[in-house]
Amino acid sequence: MTQIHPKCVTRLADLADTNYTAVALILGDQLNARHSWFRKKRAHTLYVLFEMRQETDYCRHHIQKVVGFFAAMRNFANALLRAGHHVLYLTLDNPDNLQDLTKNLEAVLSSCGSNELWLQQPDEYRLDTQLSEWQATASANLIWQDSEHFLTERDALIQWFGEKDNYLMEHFYRRVRKQTGYLMSDGEPAGGKWNFDKDNRKTPEKTHSLPEPLLFAHDVSELVDLLANEEVETFGNIDRKKFIWPLTRNEATQVLDYFVSELLCHFGDYQDAMLSEHWALYHARLSFALNTKMLSPRTVVEAAITAWQKNPQQISLNQIEGFVRQIIGWREFVRAIYWRFMPDYGHSNFFQHSRPLPDFYWTAKTEMNCLQHSIQQSLDYAYAHHIQRLMVTGNFALLIGADPDAVDAWYLGIYIDAIEWVELPNARAMSQFADGGKLATKPYVSSGSYINKMSDYCKSCAYKVTEKIGEEACPFNLLYWHFIDRHQDKLANNQRMALILSQWQKRDEADKKKFVNRQTSF
């Protein structure tokens, strides 16, 4: 269902004779039904949600991303109404919609005469800034509250480790483990180790039977037509009759339940694997539900830990630890990094890269099978798992010297789970090393050998991963040494790059020229 509940207020004129003393803003990534706002019915509080061109147009989005957010927002508004709350919802084509967040808020406040506005802290810097700057001239008193979603505070890095130029996720992760008690026993990590990542680099055998992902089949034709009629520019593909992503808390919980019962048992083992015929593998695919706050990290982690505790023979420690680390370690850490270094973080360009992304990032028309498959999957599902993002599309962009602004825009647009607080540190910092090491300890670049090890992509590629030079050689092999040669000065003080730099510098000059003098079309 994507239709607005008939009891929902949809016109500002209908607010003229109401007595709402407070207006409460709900952003598209604040769909947290467990928030303290909703614990009791408030007869004089109006909850407001807006579909806006401000949000559809700040970057070019995948159509599934826009449809997913709007559909989830509509379902959330309807759920609030059924629970007895008062809701105003302005659709994208509503004539009262001014298409700007603060202008819409002023119009609502003026229409109902309220002098109090409740806000949950936004997770994106641009929205936080927009609302904070407007506060000085707003016609109402702004009351800020926490979103009650994350396990850590925005300023956790400074609170815990002080002001530093870079931070280690492992130190952060251990602090959160101790704070929450997750996978801890008498103050020590379960199994005697904090990290079991070395056990999580396997690829399934040919005889291994992989489960199918749990998908939905929502008819979102109304929203697809809305975007077309309003001429919202999007990209990517969508099946308007079978939209696959969860759009309510109940559906998100179904995906979570399916993960812990059917997928968690092999999540850790194969979390880095890439297979041509299986786009989801054992991944939870909960990032959209988490990032819209339909599910909380506590709910997700505790469900997984409970499943492991009930069945430790089927779910080994490396499976559960690998998953918990992604949620309470990495996800919380990148948010903390984002708020520690913004706004300068969004402009960092350590390598001074400036090349545009190749056109095939939007079409998937390339003979490099790893890129073709990862990009086509992204266009079809608005999803790729972390290794496809980091070591295929991100790796290639870094090796060719793509402008981090262009890389940011692509990642922010193409994935259904992409909100800037999580996308920017992952793309600009982890993937492109544009921050010079504030988040990652080295650039994540590789030749084709890593992709060959972790996938079956190379077996059916037009290029040969075993060849370094020549027309049939894997482009990743050539580009890798191009990158090392170009940035020797920038990498000279990075201890984790010392061995590879030494190997390059010891090579015969004639051999080096075979790589650095070779022209590429990328």
Side-chain angles (χ1 to χ4, degrees), residues 41-183:
K41 298 175 185 177
R42 304 175 186 273
H44 302 294
T45 299
L46 178 69
Y47 296 98
V48 299
L49 298 93
F50 310 127
E51 299 170 0
M52 297 177 291
R53 292 304 294 255
Q54 169 185 309
E55 297 305 295
T56 62
D57 296 359
Y58 73 87
C59 84
R60 187 183 175 205
H61 300 284
H62 196 297
I63 188 170
Q64 290 188 42
K65 181 182 179 185
V66 182
V67 167
F69 270 87
F70 283 3
M73 289 166 61
R74 292 183 178 196
N75 284 330
F76 190 76
N78 292 342
L80 289 180
L81 277 161
R82 289 193 296 270
H85 300 288
H86 299 273
V87 180
L88 166 74
Y89 195 102
L90 297 184
T91 58
L92 194 68
D93 58 351
N94 190 308
D96 291 340
N97 193 338
L98 301 176
Q99 308 299 339
D100 177 273
L101 179 58
T102 53
K103 289 179 181 178
N104 275 342
L105 288 172
E106 278 290 3
V108 172
L109 292 166
S110 175
S111 296
C112 65
S114 175
N115 61 3
E116 189 171 288
L117 176 64
W118 298 356
L119 301 169
Q120 296 178 35
Q121 284 184 324
D123 290 314
E124 285 194 308
Y125 184 86
R126 64 184 179 87
L127 292 176
D128 190 81
T129 300
Q130 182 183 10
L131 289 166
S132 297
E133 291 177 348
W134 172 66
Q135 183 169 4
T137 58
S139 60
N141 179 35
L142 273 60
I143 299 174
W144 297 85
Q145 295 180 249
D146 192 84
S147 67
E148 301 176 7
H149 175 80
F150 293 96
L151 301 171
T152 57
E153 300 296 326
R154 279 184 180 180
D155 60 350
L157 289 176
I158 290 179
Q159 282 187 35
W160 295 352
F161 308 111
E163 294 191 14
K164 300 170 64 176
D165 291 333
N166 53 60
Y167 299 87
L168 288 176
M169 193 280 283
E170 187 67 22
H171 295 165
F172 180 91
Y173 170 53
R174 294 182 185 187
R175 178 77 177 249
V176 180
R177 286 269 296 272
K178 292 175 182 177
Q179 175 181 300
T180 60
Y182 292 147
L183 301 182

Side-chain angles (χ1 to χ4, degrees), residues 203 272-276 370 392 448-459:
T203 53
D272 290 358
M274 299 174 284
L275 296 177
S276 300
C370 59
V392 180
S449 60
Y450 176 85
I451 298 170
N452 188 39
K453 177 184 176 183
M454 297 309 302
S455 78
D456 62 1
Y457 296 155
C458 300
K459 294 176 183 177

Side-chain angles (χ1 to χ4, degrees), residues 224-243:
V224 173
D225 290 340
L226 171 68
L227 298 182
N229 293 337
E230 296 300 308
E231 299 181 345
V232 174
E233 186 178 0
T234 61
F235 68 110
N237 306 315
I238 190 169
D239 185 339
R240 60 168 59 210
K241 298 290 186 180
K242 295 180 179 179
F243 186 77

Side-chain angles (χ1 to χ4, degrees), residues 205-256:
E205 299 291 336
K206 289 183 179 180
T207 56
H208 186 90
S209 178
L210 285 154
E212 293 298 320
L214 174 62
L215 307 177
F216 298 94
H218 299 290
D219 187 338
V220 293
S221 299
E222 180 182 346
L223 283 169
V224 173
D225 290 340
L226 171 68
L227 298 182
N229 293 337
E230 296 300 308
E231 299 181 345
V232 174
E233 186 178 0
T234 61
F235 68 110
N237 306 315
I238 190 169
D239 185 339
R240 60 168 59 210
K241 298 290 186 180
K242 295 180 179 179
F243 186 77
I244 66 173
W245 295 99
L247 297 177
T248 65
R249 177 181 172 80
N250 178 268
E251 290 177 352
T253 301
Q254 292 178 48
V255 179
L256 172 60

Side-chain angles (χ1 to χ4, degrees), residues 125 157 164-168 330 333-350 403-405 408 419-442:
Y125 184 86
L157 289 176
K164 300 170 64 176
D165 291 333
N166 53 60
Y167 299 87
L168 288 176
W330 190 251
F333 180 63
V334 296
R335 173 177 178 259
I337 285 282
Y338 177 79
W339 285 105
R340 168 67 180 89
F341 293 112
M342 284 296 283
D344 292 343
Y345 210 53
H347 307 291
S348 55
N349 191 353
F350 178 70
D403 186 337
D405 287 347
D408 262 350
I419 302 173
E420 191 186 62
W421 68 265
V422 67
E423 173 277 323
L424 191 146
N426 273 296
R428 185 175 288 262
M430 184 68 174
S431 169
Q432 301 303 293
F433 203 73
D435 68 348
K438 289 180 170 61
L439 183 148
T441 55
K442 68 162 190 167

